[in-house]
Amino acid sequence: DLEVGYDQPLLPPINFEMRGDTKLWIRGANGIGKSTLLKTLMGIIPPLSGSFAFHIAARPAYLEQDLKFREQDTNAFNYISDCFPRFNQKEIRSQLARVGIKGEMSLQSVKTLSGGEQVRIRLLTIMNVTSNILILDEPTNHLDVNAKESLQKAIADYEGAVILVSHDKTFAESVCDKTLTLKQL
């Protein structure tokens, strides 16, 4: 009976459960509360009522829909260096190249990069943390066809659970085995 929202509930009480290998697609109309639900699950927004619990061994990795970077003047190289201080310069360049951020592009301010390039940088950060639950909020926004296909394969190959919010029905149906449709109060 989890209720999410800000001053008042956005949705009726929500009930669902997942196994460690479930890939869940959360769908619903724009503005209904899908991102609010994810932010509640991540502890960014407190629940209004009800409760939820992850397994004690759960290690979620979260990709927000919002592409804001802490410092808009940072570049991809410095951002990854700050996130992963254990990486040397060669490893940082190699990691960025994995997601198509190469050469001078890695030194451009992130605010000058396209939405797709910014998403790839964010995806790179969750690719380099140990997790067993991916929580992805509209990850295909801004991605080109090749990047979507790479993400699709990565999610299909991921051995943990996935909670995916997406309006891309074809993409979501290709990677998810369970669907939760949210409806307004």
Side-chain angles (χ1 to χ4, degrees), residues 94-103 105 117 120:
S94 174
Q95 290 290 320
L96 287 166
R98 284 177 62 193
V99 295
I101 308 294
K102 301 176 184 175
M105 186 186 297
E117 292 159 345
R120 287 190 232 162

Side-chain angles (χ1 to χ4, degrees), residues 23-27 140 152 155 164-179:
K23 291 182 171 61
L24 175 69
W25 173 30
I26 298 176
R27 67 182 187 172
T140 60
Q152 182 178 14
I155 292 172
L164 171 70
V165 166
S166 180
H167 287 286
D168 187 334
K169 181 180 178 185
T170 303
F171 179 85
E173 287 179 341
S174 72
V175 296
C176 293
D177 54 26
K178 192 173 178 182
T179 302

Side-chain angles (χ1 to χ4, degrees), residues 73-178:
D73 290 329
T74 192
N75 60 46
F77 184 91
N78 289 336
Y79 179 76
I80 296 302
S81 177
D82 290 346
C83 290
F84 303 100
R86 71 182 186 274
F87 289 167
N88 63 38
Q89 286 190 12
K90 183 178 179 184
E91 290 169 323
I92 294 169
R93 291 192 186 286
S94 174
Q95 290 290 320
L96 287 166
R98 284 177 62 193
V99 295
I101 308 294
K102 301 176 184 175
E104 291 299 314
M105 186 186 297
S106 70
L107 301 177
Q108 286 179 237
S109 170
V110 292
K111 69 182 176 188
T112 67
L113 299 175
S114 72
E117 292 159 345
Q118 291 180 27
V119 169
R120 287 190 232 162
I121 294 166
R122 288 297 177 91
L123 285 168
L124 179 59
T125 63
I126 66 171
M127 290 166 48
N128 281 289
V129 296
T130 302
S131 69
N132 52 18
I133 302 173
L134 291 179
I135 300 177
L136 307 171
D137 194 356
E138 296 288 358
T140 60
N141 284 1
H142 312 290
L143 293 183
D144 61 32
V145 173
N146 291 337
K148 271 189 194 181
E149 288 173 359
S150 294
L151 180 59
Q152 182 178 14
K153 182 178 179 349
I155 292 172
D157 292 346
Y158 186 71
E159 294 182 8
V162 175
I163 299 174
L164 171 70
V165 166
S166 180
H167 287 286
D168 187 334
K169 181 180 178 185
T170 303
F171 179 85
E173 287 179 341
S174 72
V175 296
C176 293
D177 54 26
K178 192 173 178 182

